[in-house]
Amino acid sequence: MRTIRFLLVKEFKQIFRNRSILVMIIGMPVIQLMILPLAANYEVKNINIVIVNQDHSPVSAKLVSKINASTYLNVLSHLTSYDQALKLAEDDKTDLILQIPPHFEKNLIRDNQQKLFIAVNAINGMKAGLGYGYLSNIIQMFNEELRGQMMPRSKFNVAQEIELEFTSRFNPHQVYYLFMVPGILAFLVTMITGFLSALNIVKEKEMGTIEQINVTPIKKYHFILGKLIPFWIIGTVVFTLGLMVSFFVYGIVPAGSILLLYGFMWVYLLAVLGFGLLVSTYCDKQQQAMLIMFFFMMIFILMGGLLTSIDGMPYWAKMIAALNPVSYIIDVVRAVVLKGSGLQDILPQLGTIIVFAIVLNSWAIYNYKKTN
Amino acid sequence: MEISVSVNQLLKSYTKGEKTAVNHVSFEVKKGELFGLIGPDGAGKTSIFRMLTTLILPDGGNASVNGLDIVKDYGKIRMSIGYMPGKFSLYPDLTVEENLGFFATLFNTRVNENYHLIKDIYEQLAPFKNRRAGKLSGGMKQKLALCCALIHNPPVIFLDEPTTGVDPVSRREFWEMLKRLKDQGITIVVSTPYMDEATLCDRIALIQEGQILSINTPKNMVSHYPDQLFAIKADNMYHLLKIMKTYKNVLNIYAFGEYAHASFREDMDTNELYRYLEEKGFRDILIIPAKPTIEDCFIKLLNN
């Protein structure tokens, strides 16, 4: 027990003396959680639109005022020539051009139909799609209104009054960061603890200090515990910091039990540390460990459901994702934070992670013994 | 006399048996002896040390330390030896004091329990006890490493090239410390590539390419030097070394400090050699009989 305590004291002294590691532990979750979710935001506001109104009738003025009222569309200018407007689009100053043709109102009343022209600047695909969506919505609504005014309600129009509205069950306002923050937090914890544990043990090998340790009568399990416990604690600290950032910056309060979150995270950290330990047993140099960890972390993040949904992947990719511990933690953190899932709901994931933890750690310890 | 370390036909090869690092090495170290393994880089010294300190397993033969088998009783051996690797391998980010305390704990002891052993050495380090080990000078690092190897009062210590990369003054100090440790009854096995340090050992084993060439006391080794040895000097040393190779009865010629050492099979006429060199156009010729050193013995053995 005394040996373990001293190993821990030594490990923490080393960690606290290494400024870059401290910055990593504290700065990384805070900064990344503050920047990434906002930067990776798919929600688009401030779509610029130029209106080329060549009609100047009450009807067209009404349409223009409707567009003006939208919080998503920002009317950049009103022009009379389409060529001028196109120039703005070419300079990437505007995202949308709406052209209201001459005699719009007159022709509309005469022919009962009229056409509007929308040009979309598709340099930024996301903005283009959304901008077009917003604008067509406004025009659609405007159209409904006009119909209501111009023609008396008839039996035939009843069907058209059924409207489809959809909202997201657990994120009704489609707030992007609500979805991203828990996912990124889960991934950050994985990255920091995984990298730190793998590099730390390899560092002892590279510096030769492990030689000096190996000639002492210290037990192997003492040494391994002395390495796992500090990073297990650090993982918990990073997770706590991340939860605090998501509360103070994004106002996210986990819908489910915080204790359950921590409980799952503690088991999960054992799996991650086992993985770090395993990588370290195969490497002699920190550089090797770094590259191997990068390789796996890239796969973990791309196949972890953080950015793209695993449910939408082909079968073989789902199989890979099933072997990816990160996919379970992202899943569970999101489920508990957003949906308020209970222990019952996450039992399958918990079981899988326990298996991961046992397999990875046993493999690592077996390999550690073999090479020594 | 009690035997402290006994090595019998030890064998170790790397890269799947292709490269033999230690080739049937046998030697014995008596209790309280200062035993030196002398040999150039790559001779297999470190491999022998790593086997004796239970860091790697031998491929053949056996060895015992304090009567304990290096394979079967590795756990017990680790309790009773001190090891100082050739490369500085304490924690550079821990202070002098912390390193010492840490290794004391790993051996289940405390610094003050065996302080008398390291007192002489540690007192020199005391002014820097709050300095991080990585920031110490080379000589100081070695002293700290020695302290850490001694902290659990081991009856045997293994020092792998402790003076490599250390300045001459610190080197001399270091050997004086070893002498004092020997006086306290500690068996010391030390390796070094420096021939001048060999004379400071009680007995030495000359080792080359994984094989022991000779084991003896330094004194006996030089007194058994069989050939006639001369130190020769002239104005053009490079040319001299070349010319001398062809001279009759020359066994060996090599640069030795500012002189060239030449060994001869039988009686050599100094005057005749002098005349010969003069004929070849050398000036400032000096030929004096030389006392053989360990280095001369080593070169002699290498040429056999």
Side-chain angles (χ1 to χ4, degrees):
Chain A
M1 214 43 226
R2 184 163 164 255
T3 315
I4 293 248
R5 206 185 71 224
F6 258 79
L7 280 169
L8 293 184
V9 168
K10 169 224 150 212
E11 212 60 59
F12 276 112
K13 267 182 187 160
Q14 287 185 300
I15 290 163
F16 284 119
R17 278 178 197 172
N18 191 337
R19 191 161 301 170
S20 56
I21 286 191
L22 262 193
V23 170
M24 268 253 285
I25 294 169
I26 297 170
M28 198 161 135
V30 173
I31 295 170
Q32 297 209 351
L33 270 181
M34 274 158 69
I35 293 174
L36 283 184
L38 295 179
N41 198 344
Y42 288 159
E43 196 184 18
V44 181
K45 279 181 187 163
N46 292 328
I47 296 168
N48 288 323
I49 179 168
V50 170
I51 299 169
V52 182
N53 189 351
Q54 294 164 332
D55 184 40
H56 297 294
S57 63
V59 172
S60 66
K62 206 168 174 185
L63 176 59
V64 169
S65 75
K66 279 235 177 287
I67 293 169
N68 268 328
S70 159
T71 48
Y72 291 107
L73 297 179
N74 170 36
V75 180
L76 197 69
S77 57
H78 298 270
L79 299 172
T80 47
S81 133
Y82 176 73
D83 288 341
Q84 275 177 303
L86 188 62
K87 183 83 181 53
L88 283 174
E90 279 168 354
D91 294 343
D92 208 22
K93 285 188 179 129
T94 185
D95 305 296
L96 292 169
I97 300 169
L98 171 68
Q99 189 182 18
I100 304 171
H103 317 302
F104 175 72
E105 186 185 305
K106 202 172 95 191
N107 293 349
L108 183 70
I109 290 165
R110 191 188 61 203
D111 302 340
N112 241 344
Q113 64 174 44
Q114 230 342 291
K115 280 182 176 149
L116 290 167
F117 178 74
I118 299 172
V120 184
N121 173 6
I123 298 277
N124 181 338
M126 187 62 66
K127 259 188 159 179
L130 281 167
Y132 175 74
Y134 291 144
L135 186 58
S136 7
N137 249 347
I138 293 170
I139 293 169
Q140 188 74 40
M141 271 155 55
F142 175 68
N143 192 25
E144 296 296 324
E145 240 178 78
L146 273 187
R147 272 171 183 268
Q149 284 169 8
M150 289 171 63
M151 347 177 170
R153 267 164 205 265
S154 70
K155 284 172 202 161
F156 303 105
N157 282 344
V158 173
Q160 287 192 333
E161 281 180 13
I162 294 173
E163 274 182 56
L164 285 178
E165 264 189 39
F166 49 93
T167 53
S168 303
R169 171 73 177 79
F170 299 107
N171 190 358
H173 303 292
Q174 283 283 348
V175 183
Y176 189 69
Y177 58 72
L178 271 185
F179 184 63
M180 281 312 278
V181 169
I184 290 180
L185 172 58
F187 181 68
L188 275 178
V189 174
T190 312
M191 216 160 78
I192 293 176
T193 45
F195 265 100
L196 282 183
S197 60
L199 288 182
N200 184 285
I201 299 166
V202 179
K203 188 180 167 198
E204 296 245 9
K205 281 192 191 174
E206 202 175 300
M207 305 277 288
T209 47
I210 205 159
E211 292 265 281
Q212 200 88 61
I213 295 276
N214 281 344
V215 291
T216 69
I218 184 177
K219 299 269 185 302
K220 289 261 180 286
Y221 75 89
H222 278 163
F223 181 74
I224 290 176
L225 280 180
K227 287 290 173 199
L228 291 188
I229 295 171
F231 295 109
W232 193 69
I233 295 173
I234 286 173
T236 310
V237 170
V238 170
F239 185 56
T240 309
L241 270 175
L243 283 180
M244 278 160 67
V245 170
S246 35
F247 175 72
F248 287 113
V249 178
Y250 300 100
I252 297 173
V253 182
S257 149
I258 292 227
L259 198 69
L260 184 67
L261 264 185
Y262 272 96
F264 190 85
M265 187 51 94
W266 284 329
V267 178
Y268 172 72
L269 281 175
L270 289 181
V272 174
L273 291 171
F275 182 69
L277 189 68
L278 181 63
V279 168
S280 76
T281 59
Y282 281 105
C283 303
D284 294 315
K285 298 265 175 277
Q286 291 187 67
Q287 213 173 19
Q288 296 171 337
M290 193 80 173
L291 286 173
I292 291 177
M293 280 309 263
F294 255 124
F295 171 77
F296 281 105
M297 284 295 168
M298 283 304 284
I299 293 177
F300 284 170
I301 192 170
L302 292 176
M303 307 289 287
L306 178 64
L307 303 167
T308 38
S309 163
I310 294 172
D311 296 327
M313 289 179 185
Y315 180 73
W316 58 268
K318 276 185 193 165
M319 288 296 102
I320 296 176
L323 289 171
N324 176 2
V326 177
S327 68
Y328 296 93
I329 186 75
I330 290 177
D331 194 17
V332 167
V333 172
R334 274 179 181 163
V336 176
V337 171
L338 298 179
K339 279 199 279 192
S341 297
L343 180 62
Q344 288 278 309
D345 306 307
I346 63 163
L347 270 181
Q349 286 96 327
L350 187 64
T352 316
I353 286 298
I354 289 174
V355 172
F356 267 115
I358 292 171
V359 169
L360 287 170
N361 280 295
S362 320
W363 184 359
I365 290 169
Y366 167 75
N367 208 43
Y368 180 74
K369 282 201 167 135
K370 199 182 74 185
T371 51
N372 281 282
Chain B
M1 194 87 189
E2 216 177 314
I3 299 297
S4 202
V5 180
S6 162
V7 178
N8 183 24
Q9 295 289 314
L10 211 53
L11 190 71
K12 180 76 196 176
S13 54
Y14 296 112
T15 52
K16 290 180 183 151
E18 275 172 28
K19 216 180 133 253
T20 306
V22 178
N23 196 355
H24 299 287
V25 163
S26 305
F27 62 87
E28 279 182 345
V29 182
K30 297 187 192 83
K31 197 165 181 294
E33 198 176 25
L34 176 49
F35 188 86
L37 277 176
I38 318 292
D41 292 342
K45 302 188 298 284
T46 301
S47 294
I48 294 174
F49 271 91
R50 285 167 62 86
M51 282 188 277
L52 292 180
T53 51
T54 73
L55 283 171
I56 52 174
L57 292 170
D59 294 329
N62 55 65
S64 67
V65 178
N66 298 324
L68 300 164
D69 187 85
I70 56 165
V71 180
K72 278 191 304 225
D73 307 317
Y74 71 93
K76 284 182 198 155
I77 287 185
R78 288 177 185 179
M79 278 305 277
S80 61
I81 57 163
Y83 173 49
M84 185 175 154
K87 192 175 153 237
F88 179 71
S89 33
L90 301 176
Y91 291 98
D93 42 3
L94 294 184
T95 67
V96 169
E97 219 178 4
E98 285 164 351
N99 265 303
L100 198 57
F102 177 68
F103 283 101
T105 315
L106 292 191
F107 284 104
N108 226 349
T109 177
R110 279 166 218 279
V111 175
N112 43 22
E113 261 176 51
N114 295 306
Y115 188 68
H116 61 277
L117 264 180
I118 58 161
K119 186 167 167 281
D120 286 345
I121 313 163
Y122 192 67
E123 267 170 4
Q124 300 177 46
L125 283 168
F128 311 107
K129 67 177 184 187
N130 290 321
R131 189 179 287 190
R132 301 208 180 153
K135 296 258 194 301
L136 292 173
S137 67
M140 286 291 176
K141 277 182 183 162
Q142 298 306 81
K143 281 172 195 162
L144 176 59
L146 186 58
C147 284
C148 288
L150 285 168
I151 195 64
H152 54 295
N153 192 9
V156 189
I157 55 173
F158 293 91
L159 312 174
D160 190 8
E161 300 200 10
T163 54
T164 300
V166 175
D167 69 90
V169 178
S170 299
R171 264 172 66 186
R172 200 177 320 129
E173 274 179 14
F174 197 85
W175 278 90
E176 276 162 19
M177 286 189 274
L178 293 190
K179 276 252 161 70
R180 281 200 291 274
L181 290 173
K182 186 182 102 87
D183 292 341
Q184 303 197 43
I186 294 177
T187 309
I188 303 169
V189 184
V190 62
S191 75
T192 178
Y194 300 122
M195 302 293 164
D196 57 320
E197 289 179 344
T199 49
L200 302 167
C201 300
D202 294 334
R203 280 195 313 142
I204 52 173
L206 297 183
I207 179 167
Q208 162 77 7
E209 283 174 357
Q211 282 179 305
I212 289 192
L213 306 174
S214 169
I215 303 179
N216 215 328
T217 64
K219 222 180 193 172
N220 279 341
M221 203 166 272
V222 292
S223 66
H224 283 86
Y225 189 76
D227 308 320
Q228 276 199 307
L229 191 69
F230 286 90
I232 307 171
K233 200 173 146 181
D235 55 347
N236 187 343
M237 289 302 284
Y238 174 73
H239 207 52
L240 179 76
L241 286 171
K242 260 170 81 177
I243 289 287
M244 281 304 293
K245 278 203 178 114
T246 58
Y247 192 70
K248 59 173 182 177
N249 282 344
V250 163
L251 284 171
N252 220 336
I253 173 91
Y254 45 89
F256 195 94
E258 55 177 331
Y259 292 90
H261 269 189
S263 57
F264 297 89
R265 195 171 292 127
E266 49 206 75
D267 282 349
M268 199 269 299
D269 188 346
T270 319
N271 292 331
E272 197 189 321
L273 177 61
Y274 194 92
R275 277 195 300 277
Y276 174 78
L277 289 177
E278 250 185 354
E279 267 171 39
K280 290 281 176 186
F282 288 99
R283 297 280 166 272
D284 309 323
I285 303 161
L286 201 62
I287 305 172
I288 43 173
K291 250 177 90 176
T293 65
I294 299 290
E295 189 168 341
D296 296 304
C297 297
F298 197 84
I299 290 168
K300 168 79 187 164
L301 286 168
L302 282 188
N303 280 285
N304 280 358

